[in-house]
Amino acid sequence: MKAVRIVDTEKVEVVDLAKPQCGDDEVLLRLRYVGFCGSDLNTYRGGNPMVKMPVIPGHEIGAIIDEIGKNVPSSFNVGDVVTVTPYTNCEHCSACRNKRVNACEHNETLGVQRNGAMCEYIALPWQKIVPTSNMEVKHCALIEPMSVGFHAVNRAQVTDSDVVMVIGCGMIGVGAIVRAALRGATVVACDLDDEKLEGAKEVGATYTINSAKENVHERLAEITNGAMPDVVIEAVGAPPTYQMAVQEVGFTGRVVCIGYAKADVSFQTKLFVQKELDIRGSRNAEPGDFRAVAKYMATHDVPYDKLITKVIKPEEAGDTLAWWSQNPQKVFRILVEF
């Protein structure tokens, strides 16, 4: 079978591998669309410390069931359109004992700590398969990144009385905007790119702020009548946006951090105490978040044409990653079609 493999920094190849066998407790998937995400770009650039080269990337999946193991429940059928929860959990660490398996200490995500799904076939435990209904297989590849944003809104305990600022309007930020809006919150989207901010409005943001052109603090004060946001979700992963989140959230507010900052971040820690903040991490997503995204996509008019930047063939992966590396602000999602 054909597979895309990142061999070394800025080096990608298409290889021919043996088709995997389907175990008794597994489902064999025929991959149709697999998304490139930010972690794959970091791997290509040589900046992902969790990856051991060479690696097959890919954990954003739209697939069709090709074969079913003999111990798999009868609710799964050959031909079903599905996606995948791409994480593992050890069942023994503190996170697993607390039933927060998405944050397992020993998690291995497809395409990061282990080979991923950017290939024609993959065999996985049936428990990791998420059925979808009334969805195109291409759109299923958007479920995983959006579910990460959905999970962050869960972590923030967002309600309909909250003002929620989401910093960063990439796919994960879009997921956070969607779920916060679905819960009835007033959503403020913040980004550097006007095109992404327009997309944020289409999926539920009431207000937008271009932080390159506007004074963020003054705009938030105007929007909230000086109270400032109840919740700030950081979906960029940069020191300035981490600092912005703590500075701009209201007193007794909640700050939820999704992005990984690539450098140390300095804070005025007095704000933690004076505001009595809840500062929470948000990692990956839970199966319920995947199901919630699938339900949203099946029941709403989603602007897929804006969320999918490119659809490419496996042979174009190397050139496309090189282009993305030079144009990071231009991309929502790139899908590889098999």
Side-chain angles (χ1 to χ4, degrees):
M1 68 172 184
K2 186 181 296 184
V4 174
R5 187 160 61 187
I6 301 175
V7 182
D8 206 340
T9 301
E10 299 185 350
K11 185 176 181 182
V12 179
E13 63 183 13
V14 177
V15 296
D16 187 41
L17 302 176
K19 180 180 176 181
Q21 300 296 309
C22 183
D24 291 344
D25 298 299
E26 292 182 326
V27 171
L28 182 68
L29 300 181
R30 179 163 62 90
L31 282 303
R32 292 297 312 283
Y33 296 90
V34 183
F36 271 126
C37 79
S39 64
D40 300 322
L41 180 60
N42 286 337
T43 299
Y44 171 79
R45 289 171 163 174
N48 192 337
M50 295 182 288
V51 169
K52 292 183 179 179
M53 301 286 198
V55 66
I56 297 171
H59 56 259
E60 301 173 359
I61 293 167
I64 295 172
I65 294 180
D66 192 71
E67 187 178 341
I68 295 171
K70 66 179 183 180
N71 296 333
V72 175
S74 60
S75 56
F76 294 92
N77 298 285
V78 171
D80 285 353
V81 174
V82 301
T83 191
V84 170
T85 54
Y87 326 117
T88 63
N89 56 283
C90 70
E91 301 183 1
H92 304 295
C93 71
S94 296
C96 290
R97 292 200 305 270
N98 290 329
K99 302 186 186 305
R100 290 164 64 178
V101 297
N102 57 290
C104 174
E105 180 180 355
H106 306 291
N107 167 63
E108 293 185 347
T109 299
L110 286 172
V112 185
Q113 294 94 343
R114 56 185 172 138
N115 278 328
M118 202 159 281
C119 50
E120 292 183 283
Y121 293 90
I122 190 170
L124 294 168
W126 66 264
Q127 295 91 339
K128 299 299 181 183
I129 309 303
V130 181
T132 64
S133 59
N134 304 317
M135 281 188 63
E136 292 187 29
V137 65
K138 179 191 298 184
H139 301 158
C140 291
L142 303 180
I143 291 177
E144 193 276 342
M146 288 191 70
S147 73
V148 176
F150 269 48
H151 182 67
V153 172
N154 270 354
R155 292 284 292 141
Q157 297 175 298
V158 169
T159 72
D160 58 2
S161 63
D162 287 325
V163 175
V164 178
M165 179 167 77
V166 177
I167 306 174
C169 297
M171 276 299 301
I172 290 173
V174 164
I177 291 165
V178 167
R179 191 165 223 186
L182 289 173
R183 292 191 175 189
T186 299
V187 182
V188 183
C190 182
D191 201 281
L192 300 168
D193 186 274
D194 285 330
E195 187 175 346
K196 288 185 177 180
L197 291 171
E198 283 301 314
K201 283 185 178 179
E202 288 193 36
V203 297
T206 306
Y207 302 97
T208 61
I209 301 174
N210 186 319
S211 57
K213 301 176 182 178
E214 302 175 81
N215 185 302
V216 175
H217 182 80
E218 290 179 1
R219 283 283 287 127
L220 288 172
E222 176 187 347
I223 291 165
T224 64
N225 294 318
M228 307 309 281
D230 304 283
V231 174
V232 177
I233 295 175
E234 200 287 337
V236 176
T241 50
Y242 263 80
Q243 292 162 344
M244 180 191 295
V246 171
Q247 289 163 0
E248 302 302 343
V249 72
F251 276 63
T252 69
R254 288 99 73 196
V255 175
V256 176
C257 306
I258 309 174
Y260 282 82
K262 307 301 186 294
D264 292 344
V265 185
S266 297
F267 292 104
Q268 295 182 20
T269 54
K270 68 178 183 180
L271 296 178
F272 298 3
V273 178
Q274 287 178 340
K275 293 185 178 183
E276 198 173 66
L277 298 181
D278 289 336
I279 300 175
R280 306 172 184 179
S282 183
R283 183 182 179 194
N284 298 331
E286 297 177 334
D289 300 311
F290 281 75
R291 293 191 293 270
V293 174
K295 179 181 178 181
Y296 163 74
M297 289 184 170
T299 56
H300 289 74
D301 186 15
V302 181
Y304 293 112
D305 58 330
K306 293 185 177 179
L307 299 179
I308 299 173
T309 306
K310 286 187 175 186
V311 179
I312 65 170
K313 297 297 184 183
E315 292 77 12
E316 301 173 276
D319 289 342
T320 302
L321 283 171
W323 170 81
W324 186 16
S325 185
Q326 297 300 315
N327 299 276
Q329 294 296 325
K330 301 297 183 182
V331 171
F332 270 102
R333 269 304 175 269
I334 295 166
L335 304 184
V336 178
E337 181 182 7
F338 286 91

